[in-house]
Amino acid sequence: MLPARHARPPCRSLAPLSLAIAGVLLSIALPAAAQDSKESKDNATDLARIEVTGSNIRRTDVETASPVQVISKQDIQNMGARTLLQVLDNLPAARPAQQDSRSLFTGSDGASQANLRGLGAQGTLVLLNGRRLSYYGAPAGFQTQFVNIDAIPAAAIERMEVLTDGASAVYGTDAVAGVINVITKRNFQGAEITFSNDTSSRIDSYGERQASITAGFGDLTENRFNVYGAVNMYRRDAIPLADFYDKRPAQFYVNNPNYLTNLRLGVGSKPGQFNPGTYFAFDPVTGRRVQEAAPGCQNVLQGQAAGPSCVWETWMNNEIDAGAKSERNTAYLNGTFLVGDNTEIFAEATYTDIDLRANGGTPRTYGTTTGNPSSWFSRDTGTTVNQFLYPYLGPNNEYNHASPELKALMGGVVGLNYLLQDAGPNYFGQRNTDQSYRVLTGARGNVGDWNWETAFATAGTHSVTYQTINVNLKGFEKAFGPYSVDPGTGRVIISDHPAYKFGEISEANAALIREAFPTFDIQSWTRLHTLDGKIEGPLAQLPAGEMRAAFGFNASRETFYTPGNPDAAAGLITQQGGSWFDGARNTYALFAETVAPITDKLELDAALRVDKYPNFNANVAPKIGFKYQAFDRLMLRGTYSTGFRAPSLAESGSGGVFAQLGGYRDDVRCDETNAIANLLLKSQRPGDVDLGKGLLNVDCSRTVARMTQPNQDLKPEKAKITTLGFVYEPASWLSVSADYWFIYRDNEIVAPDFTRDTDIIASTRSPITDADRANLAQLAAMCADPASGVACPGVLPGYSVGNVASVVGQYKNRGKTLVDGFDVDARSRFSLGAWGGLNIGLAATIANRNRYYMDEESGWYYGDVVGYYNNPRLRATLNADWTYRQVTTSMFVNYVGGTKWARDRVDEVDNNAQTCTAGYLPVEKSKCDGAPSWWTANLSVTWRPDDAWNLSFTVKNLFDRLPFYDPNSFLGDSSDYATIFGRGYSVTVGYRFQ
């Protein structure tokens, strides 16, 4: 047989934690942890056999029919990774997923996801010591339930095992793309402390710090018990706009020419300095906007088409875009006790507290609405769209100090832009807290040659989102009401003598602002209770060896509850309907697995699992695999299995999602507004050009009200998964593996695709607005003025409709996905004699196909998207570790292949090298062909002067590579795989008390 690949722990270093009955996925990860000399050998279990992720059978050979990648604690350190998310970012089989620092306003704020094969967090199963964790309290986008990998105790991690094969036959739902099993230490005595600090050469405010302590006592051999605990504290600093506004790729500023100008730096009034604001009105004949700075303005901006205005500097304390502040504390406790000669009692407890917060850019403005109103759905108002517009000032308002000429345009009514500074510099923003726990207790042992294990676990999360951003309608009316309505135009007018006093900054005003823009919370809870059991042992003696089998069960109770904020549910919080779900279900599973040596060279592995979910027929998931020793150093392997994912309680329960949909593209309004903008940009008059810059693409990506309804008629997703590969060790210093993988997923559960009319159940549009009419008036004036130098067409472009205000859709089963490719892994070890040893490793994932089948009518309409945006054909890592005496030097290189800008062959009509656009926006000429290939390198040096000290210094992004412009991304850069921080520096100090 092949020797164990060096990347995995040697077989003799017994692993603990047997899996928890493949039932709900516990992949018994009997972590084979090569501990220090104090780690005892467990005389209550079979030391000759260990358990490997993806199987319930204990075995003497760590190579199985399924490919499993092992990442040790030292590997993680060599990567320069400080969190599990950073580890996954460096695995070729993993794809970019949600990052907690950029998760604000996703619905699952403050959490990070795992995403194998690009099939999403809902297709990747995450385990802790072979057993399930509870879902994060707040689903992504209010809909996708997933495990928050930030809640896993980093200080206690011994290694990670990543199964890149379907595992529903072993673990049940979610294990379609693979399994990530995080394995903690088996046994620990003494104490160890570690501290790390990360900084950036480019972003001064960036910093990450971690401190951990692990301590334990008792020896399983001598004392018949071991108890240890680990505490990990993580802190990340926020990145304000002040440290990031000028560090985006250059093309971002080309495509957003008013971005820096609109910050008004050095032009507007300073933060904290009173600003009386700007009055405006519309010419009733032409529709043209006319404005003037309020009396007493010290920062008048001239040269605008509508007239002078009083401007202020944008407050640069906004921390939402580039990165939020995070505080994360995790505690882990593990105990193992021997009872008699054949029984072991074990228990573990995990608790994580996460606090993420970001300043939202205090203060806010009072800006009379002249464009589209804010639109949103809410639970209690059903399919009726709520809307809000900032009111006007009436002719007799005590704060209406506009000139007689301006007042005369609309019968004394004027609009007002005014800075509400009273609440202070840090009032607006968002905060997310999450408390998660898991408590588990169980027993394992053996009776004769048979091993048994059973455990009960209870886990849960409580997530709270606190937002201080939007208007509370009642609070706003208290500050500025009661309202009246202009009988001629229907414009809403504030009170002539409102409680809020314009023209002063006071605590009384601040109290009113806090009611008008209150902090409201959205709470959610998840719970998971599981009971599992299994037995494993020899079933029969075959001519070629022992046939072993495992049998087990799993029973679980899952609940998910988010009641929604009462004010938001009633429609009182603008643009915040939130979510409302209330669901619970019991699930049951039985499983069996066997490994049979057919010949001296051929071993078969078969598994079968039956899962029963309420309202669905029992799901039967089989898996069969083989391992064939073709030659002494060549092993062939392969698997075939089926997978499934049951609809989550968010998708099929009662309730719904009432939220905003960002980036909605309305082709009608986009084309009409851009036609107006492109004419204005040709003008020789500065005011026209400024307006053109502001209008260009503004209607091509709108935020609209969105309602996503659950669907209790959903069917489970089904999948077929195949792997076929080999492990070849031509020499003792070299091991090479290659595996072909294939996933065919059917009956996919998807949220509505609001870019497709067939997915929209209902929609509404806003009327053409005062701002729209003012744009047309400006265009008409330009075309009538020979000084503009523009030859206008006989019929000027205009607006036929207002912008889309809301869309409604429902979860549905739709389509199929086919993805396949190759994984390659090569590891080598060289002895350098007196110069130590050198390890070199190469891992790569090569995508072959990624196709989506919509329906019978459209078929594989979009074609193969491999090589298109966000679907690179190649992802690879290369690492080299040189150990010389007490020093280990490591180089880690991460590579991502280039892609087209278009997302598929249909999108390629508008986004290609000829148009030189991406996301319908221009890209720099050197990038017309698409997003370029990208690589970064980390260099680390670790010094272990003795058994106690561990000192490490890492240079991340060694060559200081900066992101290129990506108009499809959140920040306009390629930060999914290229860091915005430039070159970074990390120092780690560890000490082990003997």
Side-chain angles (χ1 to χ4, degrees), residues 135-383:
Y135 289 129
Y136 188 61
F142 300 105
Q143 60 201 36
T144 302
Q145 292 187 283
F146 65 95
V147 171
N148 178 20
I149 59 176
D150 293 330
I152 294 176
I157 292 176
E158 183 63 25
R159 70 182 186 277
M160 292 172 57
E161 293 183 354
V162 180
L163 175 73
T164 52
D165 184 16
S168 288
V170 179
Y171 303 117
T173 186
D174 297 345
V176 172
V179 179
I180 298 169
N181 189 12
V182 179
I183 300 170
T184 60
K185 294 175 171 60
R186 158 69 172 168
N187 188 16
F188 190 90
Q189 299 91 38
E192 182 178 59
I193 58 173
T194 302
F195 173 79
S196 66
N197 184 63
D198 288 44
T199 58
S200 164
S201 62
R202 185 170 184 250
I203 306 293
D204 294 337
S205 56
Y206 167 77
E208 288 188 41
R209 294 167 297 283
Q210 285 197 82
S212 65
I213 180 168
T214 305
F217 60 95
D219 184 273
L220 285 175
T221 300
E222 298 179 5
N223 309 114
R224 299 180 62 81
F225 77 91
N226 177 257
V227 176
Y228 79 89
V231 175
N232 190 86
M233 293 169 287
Y234 170 86
R235 301 291 185 270
R236 183 186 59 242
D237 298 327
I239 301 174
L241 183 63
D243 202 9
F244 186 72
Y245 76 95
D246 59 348
K247 294 183 174 66
R248 299 176 190 243
Q251 185 66 31
F252 173 84
Y253 303 102
V254 174
N255 285 356
N256 297 272
N258 284 348
Y259 177 80
L260 294 175
T261 301
N262 287 343
L263 298 178
R264 307 301 186 195
L265 301 180
V267 177
S269 58
K270 302 292 184 182
Q273 178 183 342
F274 174 69
N275 187 300
T278 301
Y279 295 114
F280 64 88
F282 295 94
D283 189 308
V285 177
T286 65
R288 176 175 173 267
R289 176 181 168 124
V290 182
Q291 65 187 26
E292 62 186 25
C297 176
Q298 301 300 311
N299 301 87
V300 178
L301 182 66
Q302 303 284 355
Q304 296 171 287
S309 62
C310 191
V311 297
W312 51 79
E313 289 189 2
T314 293
W315 284 39
M316 305 292 281
N317 55 3
N318 187 317
E319 299 165 349
I320 287 179
D321 286 350
K325 176 182 179 181
S326 179
E327 297 182 358
R328 191 157 66 229
N329 302 308
T330 303
Y332 177 76
L333 183 65
N334 182 292
T336 307
F337 306 86
L338 300 183
V339 180
D341 294 330
N342 302 309
T343 303
E344 178 179 289
I345 297 175
F346 59 93
E348 63 179 42
T350 303
Y351 179 79
T352 300
D353 183 277
I354 298 174
D355 191 339
L356 178 123
R357 61 183 69 197
N359 192 307
T362 304
R364 284 293 182 270
T365 61
Y366 182 102
T368 301
T369 306
T370 63
N372 299 290
S374 300
S375 302
W376 69 100
F377 288 107
S378 64
R379 184 188 71 194
D380 297 345
T381 58
T383 57

Side-chain angles (χ1 to χ4, degrees), residues 313-618:
E313 289 189 2
T314 293
W315 284 39
M316 305 292 281
N317 55 3
N318 187 317
E319 299 165 349
I320 287 179
D321 286 350
K325 176 182 179 181
S326 179
E327 297 182 358
R328 191 157 66 229
N329 302 308
T330 303
Y332 177 76
L333 183 65
N334 182 292
T336 307
F337 306 86
L338 300 183
V339 180
D341 294 330
N342 302 309
T343 303
E344 178 179 289
I345 297 175
F346 59 93
E348 63 179 42
T350 303
Y351 179 79
T352 300
D353 183 277
I354 298 174
D355 191 339
L356 178 123
R357 61 183 69 197
N359 192 307
T362 304
R364 284 293 182 270
T365 61
Y366 182 102
T368 301
T369 306
T370 63
N372 299 290
S374 300
S375 302
W376 69 100
F377 288 107
S378 64
R379 184 188 71 194
D380 297 345
T381 58
T383 57
T384 300
V385 181
N386 305 287
Q387 294 191 324
F388 170 76
L389 299 95
Y390 280 79
Y392 285 78
L393 275 61
N396 299 316
N397 189 289
E398 63 177 295
Y399 302 109
N400 185 346
H401 303 304
S403 66
E405 294 79 13
L406 189 68
K407 286 184 178 183
L409 292 176
M410 298 195 313
V413 174
V414 298
L416 173 66
N417 289 331
Y418 178 86
L419 194 62
L420 302 168
Q421 301 190 64
D422 312 271
N426 297 304
Y427 178 68
F428 291 92
Q430 181 164 322
R431 179 188 181 195
N432 294 86
T433 63
D434 179 77
Q435 290 82 39
S436 63
Y437 70 89
R438 190 182 76 162
V439 178
L440 178 146
T441 183
R444 64 171 71 94
N446 61 69
V447 177
D449 293 332
W450 284 80
N451 304 292
W452 59 270
E453 180 173 348
T454 185
F456 174 78
T458 179
T461 63
H462 177 207
S463 301
V464 187
T465 297
Y466 301 93
Q467 286 190 348
T468 312
I469 277 185
N470 299 323
V471 167
N472 180 293
L473 300 185
K474 289 186 176 179
F476 196 88
E477 187 169 5
K478 180 179 178 180
F480 301 102
Y483 308 142
S484 59
V485 177
D486 185 296
T489 63
R491 295 187 178 101
V492 178
I493 310 295
I494 69 170
S495 169
D496 287 342
H497 306 286
Y500 182 88
K501 300 185 182 302
F502 292 94
E504 66 178 56
I505 300 175
S506 66
E507 182 53 39
N509 275 352
L512 291 167
I513 292 301
R514 293 185 186 111
E515 289 190 69
F517 299 86
T519 299
F520 71 97
D521 66 307
I522 302 174
Q523 302 196 52
S524 54
W525 291 263
T526 65
R527 296 289 184 269
L528 178 65
H529 309 295
T530 61
L531 174 66
D532 62 65
K534 73 166 187 179
I535 58 172
E536 182 274 340
L539 191 63
Q541 186 66 37
L542 302 181
E546 189 177 63
M547 178 181 181
R548 298 183 71 87
F551 306 93
F553 74 92
N554 178 273
S556 65
R557 170 73 171 176
E558 178 187 358
T559 63
F560 174 45
Y561 175 58
T562 175
N565 178 273
D567 282 350
L572 296 178
I573 307 293
T574 60
Q575 296 182 292
Q576 271 299 338
S579 60
W580 166 53
F581 294 111
D582 187 2
R585 64 187 177 192
N586 297 328
T587 62
Y588 307 93
L590 297 174
F591 73 87
E593 183 180 357
T594 184
V595 173
I598 306 303
T599 69
D600 290 341
K601 294 186 176 182
L602 177 63
E603 178 182 279
L604 294 183
D605 186 344
L608 184 72
R609 181 183 174 100
V610 180
D611 287 271
K612 182 63 178 73
Y613 282 76
N615 305 318
F616 301 109
N617 294 329

Side-chain angles (χ1 to χ4, degrees), residues 40 121-122 202 215 228 644 650 742 864 944:
S40 68
Q122 67 272 34
R202 185 170 184 250
Y228 79 89
F644 83 103
F742 170 93
D864 195 335
R944 297 179 178 85

Side-chain angles (χ1 to χ4, degrees), residues 611-897:
D611 287 271
K612 182 63 178 73
Y613 282 76
N615 305 318
F616 301 109
N617 294 329
N619 184 83
V620 179
K623 182 173 184 176
I624 187 168
F626 77 92
K627 184 175 67 171
Y628 179 65
Q629 197 73 38
F631 305 105
D632 287 344
R633 294 190 174 274
L634 175 64
M635 184 189 79
L636 307 180
R637 64 187 178 190
T639 63
Y640 171 80
S641 64
T642 65
F644 83 103
R645 183 178 78 86
S648 71
L649 291 174
E651 293 163 334
S652 63
S654 60
V657 177
F658 312 96
Q660 303 304 114
L661 174 66
Y664 179 81
R665 183 179 179 85
D666 176 2
D667 288 331
V668 175
R669 280 286 301 205
C670 176
D671 293 344
E672 290 178 347
T673 301
N674 279 356
I676 297 168
N678 288 326
L679 269 181
L680 290 168
L681 289 172
K682 297 177 181 180
S683 178
Q684 301 299 313
R685 308 189 317 175
D688 298 332
V689 173
D690 286 343
L691 179 59
K693 290 178 179 180
L695 289 179
L696 190 65
N697 296 310
V698 71
D699 281 343
C700 298
S701 180
R702 283 282 184 182
T703 297
V704 303
R706 166 176 63 104
M707 178 188 295
T708 303
Q709 302 169 342
N711 184 351
Q712 297 183 357
D713 295 326
L714 289 174
K715 300 175 182 178
E717 295 179 351
K718 298 294 183 69
K720 298 176 181 178
I721 306 106
T722 297
T723 65
L724 182 64
F726 66 85
V727 180
Y728 181 48
E729 296 189 358
S732 60
W733 52 268
L734 177 63
S735 173
V736 179
S737 70
D739 293 275
Y740 169 75
W741 48 270
F742 170 93
I743 302 173
Y744 181 81
R745 187 169 61 177
D746 193 10
N747 232 7
E748 291 185 43
I749 301 169
V750 295
D753 179 358
F754 290 109
T755 65
R756 302 181 65 201
D757 292 339
T758 55
D759 279 16
I760 299 176
I761 298 173
S763 66
T764 63
R765 284 186 180 273
S766 299
I768 294 174
T769 66
D770 285 336
D772 292 338
R773 286 184 282 270
N775 297 337
L776 297 176
Q778 182 75 19
L779 178 68
M782 178 198 74
C783 290
D785 184 357
S788 70
V790 181
C792 296
V795 178
L796 297 181
Y799 294 110
S800 61
V801 292
N803 274 297
V804 170
S806 69
V807 289
V808 179
Q810 185 182 46
Y811 293 105
K812 61 173 65 177
N813 290 108
R814 188 189 67 199
K816 308 170 185 178
T817 295
L818 186 157
V819 295
D820 70 340
F822 300 87
D823 288 337
V824 178
D825 188 273
R827 305 289 159 181
S828 60
R829 294 189 292 182
F830 303 93
S831 173
L832 304 181
W835 289 95
L838 176 66
N839 296 344
I840 299 177
L842 171 67
T845 291
I846 306 167
N848 182 46
R849 290 175 293 179
N850 188 331
R851 298 179 178 178
Y852 177 60
Y853 185 94
M854 291 191 298
D855 49 43
E856 294 297 332
E857 179 181 353
S858 301
W860 303 96
Y861 180 67
Y862 290 104
D864 195 335
V865 298
V866 171
Y868 285 87
Y869 179 75
N870 208 28
N871 283 284
R873 186 169 297 279
L874 176 64
R875 295 177 65 91
T877 59
L878 174 67
N879 68 282
D881 307 322
W882 173 39
T883 300
Y884 176 67
R885 296 182 179 178
Q886 294 90 11
V887 178
T888 298
T889 303
S890 301
M891 175 72 81
F892 191 93
V893 180
N894 198 326
Y895 174 87
V896 179

